[in-house]
Amino acid sequence: MLNIQEAIEKYNKGEVSIEDLSKIVQENGQQIVFWNPASERNPKYLEGDNSSRDGFIYNPYHHVRGKFFQDVIKKAILKAIDFAHSAMVKHYDQDAYRYDDLRLAELEKFTKEYIRANFHDSYPYKHDFMMKLVDVVLGLAKEDIYYRARMLDFIQKFRRGFPEMAISPTENDNIERWH
């Protein structure tokens, strides 16, 4: 018996009909669901399902809500981070992203090394966004003890509370695919 991935590959090559694909999927304990990505919510994510997603609730290229997320919300986040990143240096402190506090310096070093090693897809856009995000968060922590104290406390408690944060196979596939 073929597994679902093998059946999909054969279907894409024209070696398996849609009826055979449906049968194989059912034999593997799943079902094929057809939906209109321009007007319907992705049936993979039912109303009230708030699990981490492997795709979007609404198609970002065809559905009005998906396009809103992709073209408005994400762009607004990028612009806000860009503004905060440049304004902190230009209008507040030219050394906003330099750290004498070794904890912040180590967090910067670790996170930026991770970003350099792992954010290659859509380079430099995703890479640069993440670098700016690190600067903004650590710059805020440097300047404001309220946020710094809670961020460092959170990191300490998080590490103790979640000794193993397993990456799902789908998340691992995403890292390997878009590395």
Side-chain angles (χ1 to χ4, degrees), residues 101-141:
D101 183 326
L102 294 179
R103 300 165 302 173
L104 299 182
E106 285 299 313
L107 281 168
E108 178 191 38
K109 179 182 175 193
F110 177 82
T111 54
K112 288 189 174 183
E113 284 175 3
Y114 182 87
I115 292 164
R116 279 188 212 68
N118 294 286
F119 279 76
H120 298 200
D121 178 54
S122 298
Y123 184 87
Y125 137 75
K126 291 177 182 178
H127 169 275
D128 292 354
F129 168 74
M130 292 302 295
M131 290 292 202
K132 289 175 185 176
L133 189 58
V134 168
D135 285 343
V136 169
V137 170
L138 293 179
L140 179 62

Side-chain angles (χ1 to χ4, degrees), residues 30-132:
Q30 301 293 320
Q31 65 179 357
I32 292 181
V33 177
F34 294 97
W35 61 289
N36 183 339
S39 62
E40 297 174 349
R41 178 186 176 106
N42 186 336
K44 186 175 180 180
Y45 306 111
L46 302 174
E47 194 74 39
D49 175 2
N50 292 304
S51 59
S52 292
R53 312 204 195 289
D54 299 333
F56 294 93
I57 295 175
Y58 299 103
N59 185 290
Y61 307 107
H62 303 293
H63 195 287
V64 66
R65 288 185 182 188
K67 288 189 232 180
F68 178 76
F69 176 78
Q70 197 73 2
D71 297 335
V72 177
I73 294 172
K74 282 176 72 175
K75 287 182 180 174
I77 293 168
L78 292 169
K79 286 183 188 270
I81 294 300
D82 278 341
F83 170 77
H85 188 267
S86 65
M88 282 178 70
V89 172
K90 186 175 179 182
H91 300 292
Y92 186 71
D93 177 9
Q94 67 183 10
D95 293 325
Y97 309 129
R98 294 191 183 120
Y99 310 105
D100 291 335
D101 183 326
L102 294 179
R103 300 165 302 173
L104 299 182
E106 285 299 313
L107 281 168
E108 178 191 38
K109 179 182 175 193
F110 177 82
T111 54
K112 288 189 174 183
E113 284 175 3
Y114 182 87
I115 292 164
R116 279 188 212 68
N118 294 286
F119 279 76
H120 298 200
D121 178 54
S122 298
Y123 184 87
Y125 137 75
K126 291 177 182 178
H127 169 275
D128 292 354
F129 168 74
M130 292 302 295
M131 290 292 202
K132 289 175 185 176

